Amino acid sequence: MDKAVVDFYKEAAKAARDAGFAGKIEPSRPNAYDFKYEQGNLVFIDSCLGSGKFAGQMGVWKNEQPVWALNYTGRVVALGFKGDFLNEALAQPLGDGELPVRGTSSYKNGDSEYKCDIKGDLSWFEGREEVYADGKLVFEMIFSGGEIID
């Protein structure tokens, strides 16, 4: 996959996390939360429905053509979930061999723990993300995606 697209996606995903709901744009669908990030001929859009139980898609366009996408669905499953901790985990540097799709394979801070298991490569992947508080599962998300070829 084009390294410029991968680097752009990592930068755009960070910008989306940093902006939170403050960075949202006019939604493309009723009651959606959309975020857009642009740099030169590259555009990133994340569009999400819901919050406690949610589904969405992130995509990258190059020269107005879709080149990469990630679909996701998730939910908060118990009390104790902290969105700030999830953002902290997603901001951690990825280790050798890990895909720059979501977060590192594991991260812990205090009583909170993040785990992410991804199979595949940037052109075709699937994964699962979990957050635990005091050893109890409080958040889960599944995702899949890859390169778009028209």
Side-chain angles (χ1 to χ4, degrees):
M1 224 176 107
D2 184 344
K3 182 177 177 347
V5 170
V6 174
D7 291 345
F8 171 75
Y9 166 73
K10 292 189 312 190
E11 183 179 320
K14 179 186 181 325
R17 281 192 309 275
D18 291 349
F21 289 120
K24 70 181 184 176
I25 60 170
E26 186 68 31
S28 58
R29 301 170 290 174
N31 297 309
Y33 300 98
D34 286 14
F35 176 84
K36 184 176 185 179
Y37 182 82
E38 297 180 72
Q39 188 176 80
N41 66 340
L42 295 168
V43 175
F44 167 88
I45 298 174
D46 184 358
S47 182
C48 183
L49 303 171
S51 57
K53 286 186 179 178
F54 58 89
Q57 181 181 60
M58 300 176 193
V60 175
W61 286 256
K62 183 177 182 179
N63 298 321
E64 299 184 5
Q65 295 298 312
V67 294
W68 187 84
L70 180 149
N71 298 291
Y72 58 89
T73 187
R75 63 187 180 157
V76 174
V77 296
L79 294 175
F81 172 69
K82 300 173 194 156
D84 289 344
F85 170 76
L86 176 58
N87 283 335
E88 178 183 317
L90 292 173
Q92 299 307 304
L94 298 174
D96 291 338
E98 292 183 276
L99 299 174
V101 174
R102 288 293 292 167
T104 184
S105 59
S106 65
Y107 174 73
K108 190 167 185 169
N109 186 357
D111 65 353
S112 296
E113 184 175 8
Y114 170 87
K115 294 180 181 180
C116 185
D117 180 40
I118 304 174
K119 293 173 180 54
D121 58 36
L122 284 174
S123 67
W124 187 261
F125 61 87
E126 63 182 30
R128 179 177 177 86
E129 179 175 273
E130 298 174 335
V131 173
Y132 295 83
D134 291 323
K136 180 180 178 183
L137 179 68
V138 294
F139 172 87
E140 61 186 355
M141 186 176 90
I142 55 173
F143 55 89
S144 63
E147 192 172 15
I148 304 296
I149 299 175
D150 196 8

